[in-house]
Amino acid sequence: MEKKGKTSNNFVIRTISSVALFLILLATLIPGGIPLFIFVAFAGAVGMMEFLRVAGTHKTPIAVVAYIALAGVYALIYIDQKELLVPLFMLYLLLLFSIMVFAYPKYSSKSIFMSFSGLIYVGLGLSFIYQTRAQLEDGKYIVWMIFTAWVSDMGAYCMGKLFGKRKAFPVLSPKKSIAGCIGGIIWAMLAGIIYNLILHYTVNVNFLHLWQIALICGFASILAQLGDLAASAIKRDFDVKDYGKVVPGHGGILDRFDSIIFVAPLVYYLAKLFQVMGVTIK
Protein backbone atom coordinates (compact mmCIF):
# COMPACT_ATOMS: atom_id res chain seq x y z
CA MET A 1 0.00 0.00 0.00
CA GLU A 2 2.87 2.30 0.87
CA LYS A 3 4.53 1.67 -2.49
CA LYS A 4 1.29 2.46 -4.32
CA GLY A 5 0.93 5.72 -2.40
CA LYS A 6 4.53 6.64 -3.18
CA THR A 7 3.96 5.98 -6.89
CA SER A 8 0.85 8.15 -6.81
CA ASN A 9 2.75 10.99 -5.12
CA ASN A 10 5.54 10.75 -7.70
CA PHE A 11 2.99 10.98 -10.50
CA VAL A 12 1.46 14.11 -8.96
CA ILE A 13 4.88 15.71 -8.52
CA ARG A 14 5.87 14.87 -12.10
CA THR A 15 2.61 16.30 -13.42
CA ILE A 16 2.94 19.54 -11.47
CA SER A 17 6.55 19.92 -12.61
CA SER A 18 5.58 19.27 -16.25
CA VAL A 19 2.79 21.87 -16.12
CA ALA A 20 5.09 24.42 -14.48
CA LEU A 21 7.81 23.81 -17.06
CA PHE A 22 5.27 24.13 -19.88
CA LEU A 23 4.04 27.47 -18.50
CA ILE A 24 7.63 28.74 -18.27
CA LEU A 25 8.19 27.74 -21.89
CA LEU A 26 5.02 29.55 -22.95
CA ALA A 27 6.08 32.66 -21.04
CA THR A 28 9.50 32.72 -22.74
CA LEU A 29 8.99 31.20 -26.19
CA ILE A 30 6.02 33.37 -27.13
CA PRO A 31 7.73 36.75 -26.55
CA GLY A 32 11.20 35.40 -27.38
CA GLY A 33 14.00 37.94 -27.05
CA ILE A 34 15.51 38.58 -23.63
CA PRO A 35 13.04 36.40 -21.61
CA LEU A 36 13.88 33.36 -23.73
CA PHE A 37 17.58 34.14 -23.71
CA ILE A 38 17.59 34.34 -19.90
CA PHE A 39 15.71 31.04 -19.60
CA VAL A 40 18.01 29.22 -22.03
CA ALA A 41 21.14 30.68 -20.43
CA PHE A 42 19.89 29.66 -16.97
CA ALA A 43 19.07 26.15 -18.20
CA GLY A 44 22.50 25.95 -19.83
CA ALA A 45 24.25 27.01 -16.62
CA VAL A 46 22.33 24.50 -14.49
CA GLY A 47 22.84 21.77 -17.08
CA MET A 48 26.57 22.54 -17.20
CA MET A 49 26.75 22.29 -13.41
CA GLU A 50 25.00 18.90 -13.55
CA PHE A 51 27.37 17.64 -16.24
CA LEU A 52 30.46 18.83 -14.35
CA ARG A 53 29.13 17.12 -11.22
CA VAL A 54 29.00 13.83 -13.10
CA ALA A 55 32.53 14.46 -14.40
CA GLY A 56 33.67 15.17 -10.83
CA THR A 57 34.98 18.66 -11.64
CA HIS A 58 32.10 20.84 -10.35
CA LYS A 59 34.04 22.04 -7.28
CA THR A 60 37.37 22.66 -8.97
CA PRO A 61 39.06 25.46 -10.94
CA ILE A 62 37.84 23.63 -14.05
CA ALA A 63 34.28 24.62 -13.16
CA VAL A 64 35.22 28.31 -12.94
CA VAL A 65 36.79 28.18 -16.40
CA ALA A 66 33.78 26.23 -17.70
CA TYR A 67 31.25 28.81 -16.48
CA ILE A 68 33.29 31.69 -17.94
CA ALA A 69 33.47 29.84 -21.26
CA LEU A 70 29.72 29.18 -21.12
CA ALA A 71 29.05 32.88 -20.55
CA GLY A 72 31.26 33.61 -23.55
CA VAL A 73 29.28 31.17 -25.72
CA TYR A 74 25.96 32.81 -24.87
CA ALA A 75 27.36 36.30 -25.25
CA LEU A 76 28.64 35.52 -28.76
CA ILE A 77 25.32 33.94 -29.71
CA TYR A 78 23.33 36.88 -28.36
CA ILE A 79 25.34 39.41 -30.39
CA ASP A 80 25.31 37.01 -33.37
CA GLN A 81 29.08 36.60 -33.62
CA LYS A 82 29.05 32.81 -33.90
CA GLU A 83 32.17 32.71 -36.07
CA LEU A 84 34.12 33.34 -32.84
CA LEU A 85 32.79 30.19 -31.17
CA VAL A 86 35.51 27.92 -32.55
CA PRO A 87 38.37 30.10 -31.21
CA LEU A 88 36.52 30.17 -27.86
CA PHE A 89 36.26 26.38 -27.79
CA MET A 90 39.96 26.04 -28.61
CA LEU A 91 40.91 28.50 -25.87
CA TYR A 92 38.72 26.62 -23.41
CA LEU A 93 40.40 23.32 -24.34
CA LEU A 94 43.83 24.90 -23.99
CA LEU A 95 42.97 26.17 -20.50
CA LEU A 96 41.64 22.76 -19.46
CA PHE A 97 44.82 21.03 -20.61
CA SER A 98 46.88 23.69 -18.81
CA ILE A 99 45.03 22.94 -15.57
CA MET A 100 45.59 19.21 -16.09
CA VAL A 101 49.33 19.71 -16.70
CA PHE A 102 50.01 22.05 -13.78
CA ALA A 103 47.86 20.07 -11.35
CA TYR A 104 48.96 16.62 -12.58
CA PRO A 105 47.93 13.97 -11.59
CA LYS A 106 44.91 15.51 -9.85
CA TYR A 107 42.68 15.51 -12.95
CA SER A 108 42.35 12.62 -15.37
CA SER A 109 42.13 13.05 -19.13
CA LYS A 110 38.60 11.58 -18.91
CA SER A 111 37.43 14.38 -16.61
CA ILE A 112 39.11 16.97 -18.84
CA PHE A 113 37.41 15.72 -21.99
CA MET A 114 34.07 15.39 -20.17
CA SER A 115 34.36 18.98 -19.01
CA PHE A 116 35.20 20.12 -22.53
CA SER A 117 32.39 18.20 -24.20
CA GLY A 118 29.92 19.61 -21.67
CA LEU A 119 30.36 23.10 -23.13
CA ILE A 120 29.35 21.88 -26.60
CA TYR A 121 26.85 19.23 -25.56
CA VAL A 122 24.96 21.27 -22.96
CA GLY A 123 25.81 24.91 -23.55
CA LEU A 124 25.80 25.05 -27.32
CA GLY A 125 23.10 22.39 -27.71
CA LEU A 126 20.53 24.22 -25.60
CA SER A 127 21.40 27.56 -27.20
CA PHE A 128 19.75 26.43 -30.43
CA ILE A 129 16.36 26.91 -28.78
CA TYR A 130 17.12 30.63 -28.62
CA GLN A 131 18.87 30.69 -31.99
CA THR A 132 15.88 29.09 -33.71
CA ARG A 133 13.43 31.53 -32.15
CA ALA A 134 15.51 34.69 -32.53
CA GLN A 135 17.65 34.20 -35.62
CA LEU A 136 15.54 32.26 -38.12
CA GLU A 137 12.90 33.70 -40.39
CA ASP A 138 9.56 32.45 -39.02
CA GLY A 139 11.47 31.33 -35.94
CA LYS A 140 8.48 32.05 -33.70
CA TYR A 141 6.68 29.20 -35.48
CA ILE A 142 9.60 26.87 -36.17
CA VAL A 143 10.89 26.83 -32.58
CA TRP A 144 7.89 24.81 -31.38
CA MET A 145 8.95 21.94 -33.63
CA ILE A 146 11.90 21.37 -31.31
CA PHE A 147 9.51 20.19 -28.66
CA THR A 148 8.11 17.42 -30.82
CA ALA A 149 10.96 15.62 -29.04
CA TRP A 150 8.68 15.38 -26.02
CA VAL A 151 5.78 14.22 -28.21
CA SER A 152 8.14 11.55 -29.51
CA ASP A 153 8.89 10.50 -25.92
CA MET A 154 5.18 10.13 -25.19
CA GLY A 155 4.57 8.27 -28.44
CA ALA A 156 7.42 5.88 -27.78
CA TYR A 157 6.13 5.20 -24.28
CA CYS A 158 2.51 4.61 -25.33
CA MET A 159 3.30 2.49 -28.39
CA GLY A 160 5.88 0.56 -26.44
CA LYS A 161 3.34 -0.24 -23.73
CA LEU A 162 0.78 -1.39 -26.28
CA PHE A 163 2.91 -3.20 -28.83
CA GLY A 164 6.42 -3.44 -27.46
CA LYS A 165 7.67 -7.01 -27.46
CA ARG A 166 11.09 -6.90 -29.06
CA LYS A 167 13.66 -4.89 -27.13
CA ALA A 168 15.58 -2.27 -29.07
CA PHE A 169 18.42 -1.74 -26.57
CA PRO A 170 18.26 -4.61 -24.07
CA VAL A 171 21.50 -3.74 -22.28
CA LEU A 172 21.39 0.06 -22.21
CA SER A 173 17.63 0.59 -21.88
CA PRO A 174 15.65 -2.64 -21.35
CA LYS A 175 12.29 -0.86 -21.40
CA LYS A 176 12.70 0.56 -24.90
CA SER A 177 11.17 -1.52 -27.68
CA ILE A 178 11.38 -1.42 -31.46
CA ALA A 179 7.64 -0.67 -31.61
CA GLY A 180 8.16 2.22 -29.20
CA CYS A 181 10.96 3.69 -31.28
CA ILE A 182 8.87 3.53 -34.45
CA GLY A 183 5.83 4.87 -32.60
CA GLY A 184 7.82 7.86 -31.39
CA ILE A 185 8.80 8.75 -34.95
CA ILE A 186 5.19 8.48 -36.17
CA TRP A 187 3.82 10.56 -33.30
CA ALA A 188 6.42 13.29 -33.87
CA MET A 189 5.68 13.48 -37.59
CA LEU A 190 1.92 13.63 -36.97
CA ALA A 191 2.38 16.30 -34.30
CA GLY A 192 4.38 18.47 -36.70
CA ILE A 193 1.84 18.07 -39.50
CA ILE A 194 -1.11 18.82 -37.18
CA TYR A 195 0.71 21.87 -35.84
CA ASN A 196 1.25 23.15 -39.39
CA LEU A 197 -2.39 22.56 -40.34
CA ILE A 198 -3.63 24.34 -37.23
CA LEU A 199 -1.51 27.38 -38.09
CA HIS A 200 -2.74 27.27 -41.69
CA TYR A 201 -6.43 27.16 -40.83
CA THR A 202 -6.37 29.53 -37.84
CA VAL A 203 -3.90 32.30 -38.70
CA ASN A 204 -3.18 31.44 -42.35
CA VAL A 205 0.50 30.78 -41.72
CA ASN A 206 2.50 28.24 -43.73
CA PHE A 207 6.15 28.42 -42.77
CA LEU A 208 7.19 25.13 -44.43
CA HIS A 209 5.74 22.49 -46.74
CA LEU A 210 4.08 19.51 -45.06
CA TRP A 211 6.75 17.13 -46.35
CA GLN A 212 9.41 19.36 -44.84
CA ILE A 213 7.59 19.36 -41.51
CA ALA A 214 7.28 15.56 -41.59
CA LEU A 215 10.95 15.15 -42.53
CA ILE A 216 12.22 17.47 -39.80
CA CYS A 217 10.00 15.94 -37.11
CA GLY A 218 10.83 12.40 -38.17
CA PHE A 219 14.57 13.04 -37.91
CA ALA A 220 13.91 15.00 -34.70
CA SER A 221 12.33 11.91 -33.15
CA ILE A 222 15.32 9.76 -34.11
CA LEU A 223 17.74 12.23 -32.55
CA ALA A 224 15.47 12.70 -29.53
CA GLN A 225 15.65 8.99 -28.81
CA LEU A 226 19.39 8.97 -29.45
CA GLY A 227 19.83 11.92 -27.09
CA ASP A 228 17.87 10.15 -24.37
CA LEU A 229 19.92 6.98 -24.79
CA ALA A 230 23.21 8.90 -24.85
CA ALA A 231 22.33 10.65 -21.59
CA SER A 232 21.41 7.28 -20.07
CA ALA A 233 24.71 5.77 -21.22
CA ILE A 234 26.66 8.57 -19.56
CA LYS A 235 24.75 8.08 -16.31
CA ARG A 236 25.41 4.34 -16.40
CA ASP A 237 29.12 4.92 -17.05
CA PHE A 238 29.35 7.19 -14.02
CA ASP A 239 26.85 5.21 -11.93
CA VAL A 240 24.39 8.05 -11.24
CA LYS A 241 20.60 7.82 -11.23
CA ASP A 242 19.71 11.40 -12.14
CA TYR A 243 21.72 14.43 -13.22
CA GLY A 244 20.07 16.63 -10.60
CA LYS A 245 16.87 17.55 -8.77
CA VAL A 246 15.96 20.95 -10.19
CA VAL A 247 12.87 19.53 -11.93
CA PRO A 248 11.00 17.60 -9.19
CA GLY A 249 9.87 14.16 -10.29
CA HIS A 250 12.01 14.28 -13.42
CA GLY A 251 15.53 14.89 -12.15
CA GLY A 252 17.79 17.60 -13.47
CA ILE A 253 17.76 19.88 -16.48
CA LEU A 254 19.68 17.25 -18.43
CA ASP A 255 17.18 14.55 -17.48
CA ARG A 256 14.36 16.63 -18.96
CA PHE A 257 16.21 18.24 -21.88
CA ASP A 258 18.49 15.38 -22.96
CA SER A 259 16.44 14.84 -26.12
CA ILE A 260 16.02 18.57 -26.79
CA ILE A 261 19.81 19.04 -26.79
CA PHE A 262 20.10 16.84 -29.90
CA VAL A 263 16.90 17.99 -31.58
CA ALA A 264 17.31 21.77 -31.34
CA PRO A 265 20.38 21.98 -33.65
CA LEU A 266 18.71 19.64 -36.16
CA VAL A 267 15.55 21.74 -36.38
CA TYR A 268 17.59 24.93 -36.68
CA TYR A 269 19.85 23.72 -39.50
CA LEU A 270 17.21 21.83 -41.50
CA ALA A 271 14.79 24.77 -41.36
CA LYS A 272 17.61 27.13 -42.34
CA LEU A 273 18.59 24.84 -45.20
CA PHE A 274 15.04 24.80 -46.56
CA GLN A 275 14.87 28.60 -46.30
CA VAL A 276 18.19 29.01 -48.12
CA MET A 277 16.93 26.67 -50.83
CA GLY A 278 13.90 28.94 -51.20
CA VAL A 279 11.31 26.22 -50.78
CA THR A 280 9.26 27.73 -47.99
CA ILE A 281 5.69 28.83 -48.63
CA LYS A 282 4.89 32.52 -48.58
Side-chain angles (χ1 to χ4, degrees):
M1 188 73 177
E2 184 179 347
K3 186 176 180 181
K4 185 177 180 181
K6 186 177 180 180
T7 301
S8 178
N9 288 336
N10 287 340
F11 176 77
V12 172
I13 293 172
R14 284 176 64 89
T15 302
I16 293 173
S17 295
S18 297
V19 171
L21 184 58
F22 179 69
L23 292 176
I24 292 172
L25 285 171
L26 283 178
T28 55
L29 283 172
I30 291 175
I34 293 178
L36 179 60
F37 180 79
I38 292 173
F39 170 72
V40 171
F42 173 77
V46 175
M48 190 71 176
M49 178 187 67
E50 294 172 352
F51 202 74
L52 292 175
R53 185 187 294 123
V54 170
T57 56
H58 62 298
K59 293 182 178 180
T60 69
I62 289 175
V64 177
V65 176
Y67 294 135
I68 294 173
L70 182 68
V73 168
Y74 283 110
L76 291 175
I77 288 171
Y78 186 74
I79 63 176
D80 199 15
Q81 295 293 322
K82 288 177 282 188
E83 65 274 8
L84 296 177
L85 285 175
V86 172
L88 175 62
F89 291 142
M90 294 307 299
L91 177 60
Y92 176 52
L93 183 62
L94 176 63
L95 291 174
L96 290 181
F97 274 125
S98 297
I99 293 173
M100 184 178 74
V101 167
F102 287 106
Y104 189 82
K106 187 174 182 180
Y107 305 111
S108 67
S109 57
K110 184 176 182 180
S111 65
I112 292 296
F113 281 113
M114 276 288 290
S115 301
F116 175 72
S117 65
L119 184 64
I120 300 174
Y121 172 59
V122 182
L124 186 61
L126 285 174
S127 77
F128 280 96
I129 300 174
Y130 172 77
Q131 292 187 62
T132 301
R133 174 64 176 86
Q135 297 172 357
L136 280 186
E137 184 182 357
D138 295 323
K140 63 182 178 181
Y141 304 118
I142 297 172
V143 70
W144 295 97
M145 293 172 60
I146 293 173
F147 298 94
T148 56
W150 289 345
V151 177
S152 172
D153 291 343
M154 290 188 290
Y157 176 79
C158 293
M159 300 303 286
K161 280 288 186 180
L162 291 173
F163 307 107
K165 293 182 179 180
R166 297 187 62 181
K167 303 300 180 184
F169 305 93
V171 178
L172 177 57
S173 186
K175 293 183 179 180
K176 291 191 183 298
S177 64
I178 294 175
C181 293
I182 296 173
I185 296 171
I186 295 173
W187 275 47
M189 294 173 72
L190 288 175
I193 291 171
I194 292 170
Y195 171 59
N196 180 268
L197 292 175
I198 289 173
L199 287 178
H200 173 70
Y201 287 108
T202 55
V203 290
N204 195 30
V205 169
N206 299 283
F207 57 93
L208 290 170
H209 290 285
L210 284 182
W211 70 267
Q212 295 169 348
I213 298 285
L215 183 68
I216 291 175
C217 291
F219 277 117
S221 174
I222 294 172
L223 284 192
Q225 295 179 56
L226 179 62
D228 178 59
L229 289 165
S232 296
I234 293 171
K235 287 191 289 187
R236 283 179 178 269
D237 279 349
F238 287 87
D239 195 26
V240 296
K241 184 178 183 296
D242 293 318
Y243 282 104
K245 298 180 180 178
V246 72
V247 187
H250 294 274
I253 286 292
L254 295 183
D255 294 294
R256 198 68 193 93
F257 284 82
D258 51 9
S259 56
I260 298 295
I261 287 172
F262 277 28
V263 170
L266 173 85
V267 172
Y268 174 86
Y269 283 114
L270 277 183
K272 189 171 185 178
L273 174 64
F274 288 141
Q275 290 179 349
V276 169
M277 291 170 61
V279 290
T280 55
I281 303 174
K282 294 298 177 186

